[in-house]
Amino acid sequence: MLKDKRLRFIIGHYGSGKTEFSINYAIKLVKQDKKVAIADLDVVNLYFRSREKTDLLEKLGIKVIGSSIKGAAVDIPAISAEILAPMQDASYEAIIDVGGDPAGARTLGMYNKYFVQGEYDMFFVLNANRPETQTVEKSIEYLRKIEDTARAKVTGIVNNTHMLKSTTVEDVLKGQELAEKVSRKTNIPIKYISAIEKVAKELPKNLKGEIFPMTLYMREEWMV
């Protein structure tokens, strides 16, 4: 993780698990005594966004940037100008949770002048169980569309194939097969293989990519 670029943009389809990955990533960084900020750029999807865990993240010392409109009962697609802080302040390790789909990624494109190729990582979170990313062709088409609207290039693939709390080793390996095929076609490396902790412990150690154990912070105890 420490070898990744300071700015990390996390993209993927709705339901891919990109927000869960983003939160876990931020928490792992702050546990390594890093100055961490997580920015929620999702102005499309109203549910399961990183800003919903502001209290938890701020208690851990993570700066959370979300809507410029404050209010628990208000949901307006407005992004705080604070987003520029981690982009311009090199003391921050920053995770930018980008809205799902090409439409959501367009928001990131607005800030293109604040980052250049080689100074960021953009991770494509791939879930082989999502209908729109179940094949190599669909996955690559989806990836390229997001790149076009985000005006940034994907630098790594994250295999995050899951079935929430019911995820098995077989689910992850199914996603790994797809991720490796996408990687070969695009010359984009597999950066991480993310899975809930009990599954991550059982994964083969020779897989391409770093095994990334996760806690389901976005799933409340009563959720399946």
Side-chain angles (χ1 to χ4, degrees):
M1 290 177 60
L2 297 180
K3 293 182 180 179
D4 295 339
K5 296 295 191 296
R6 185 184 68 81
L7 290 177
R8 301 139 170 112
F9 306 131
I10 314 300
I11 64 170
H13 186 267
Y14 294 127
S16 64
K18 65 179 182 59
T19 293
E20 195 74 82
F21 177 79
S22 298
I23 288 174
N24 274 267
Y25 199 120
I27 291 174
K28 288 180 190 298
L29 280 176
V30 82
K31 286 181 177 179
Q32 295 175 348
D33 296 322
K34 299 297 178 181
K35 182 180 178 181
V36 182
I38 183 168
D40 182 354
L41 278 188
D42 195 343
V43 296
V44 179
N45 183 30
L46 303 183
Y47 306 102
F48 300 106
R49 297 175 301 187
S50 52
R51 72 185 75 171
E52 295 173 18
K53 296 299 174 181
T54 296
D55 290 346
L56 166 68
L57 295 169
E58 290 186 342
K59 283 179 182 177
L60 292 172
I62 299 169
K63 181 179 180 62
V64 181
I65 302 167
S67 175
S68 60
I69 308 297
K70 304 300 181 183
V74 178
D75 202 307
I76 297 174
I79 299 170
S80 172
E82 285 186 289
I83 183 64
L84 296 180
M87 288 188 180
Q88 296 177 313
D89 186 345
S91 68
Y92 277 106
E93 298 289 326
I95 297 92
I96 316 296
D97 182 6
V98 183
D101 290 353
R106 187 171 291 112
T107 307
L108 179 59
M110 295 167 50
Y111 300 95
N112 179 264
K113 66 182 179 180
Y114 296 103
F115 52 87
V116 296
Q117 187 75 21
E119 295 184 0
Y120 66 84
D121 274 312
M122 187 158 82
F123 297 142
F124 178 62
V125 179
L126 178 63
N127 182 350
N129 287 330
R130 298 301 299 174
E132 293 81 358
T133 52
Q134 285 184 337
T135 68
V136 175
E137 292 74 19
K138 284 185 175 182
S139 299
I140 294 175
E141 179 183 7
Y142 208 83
L143 183 155
R144 297 306 186 197
K145 284 182 178 178
I146 291 179
E147 283 184 330
D148 288 344
T149 55
R151 298 165 64 192
K153 293 295 183 182
V154 172
T155 62
I157 296 169
V158 177
N159 171 20
N160 190 45
T161 301
H162 65 85
M163 293 296 288
L164 300 174
K165 296 176 183 178
S166 300
T167 303
T168 65
V169 170
E170 288 70 28
D171 290 320
V172 179
L173 294 180
K174 166 190 166 184
Q176 186 70 6
E177 182 179 358
L178 175 63
E180 289 186 9
K181 290 178 180 178
V182 172
S183 177
R184 286 195 294 270
K185 286 272 190 178
T186 60
N187 290 318
I188 299 171
I190 299 173
K191 187 66 182 180
Y192 297 108
I193 304 155
S194 54
I196 53 178
E197 292 179 357
K198 67 178 182 179
V199 174
K201 292 176 182 178
E202 299 177 5
L203 291 175
K205 305 305 180 186
N206 62 344
L207 298 177
K208 292 182 179 179
E210 179 181 339
I211 295 175
F212 189 99
M214 295 211 302
T215 299
L216 297 182
Y217 292 105
M218 295 303 297
R219 306 297 296 184
E220 306 300 339
E221 286 297 322
W222 55 269
M223 294 180 177
V224 295

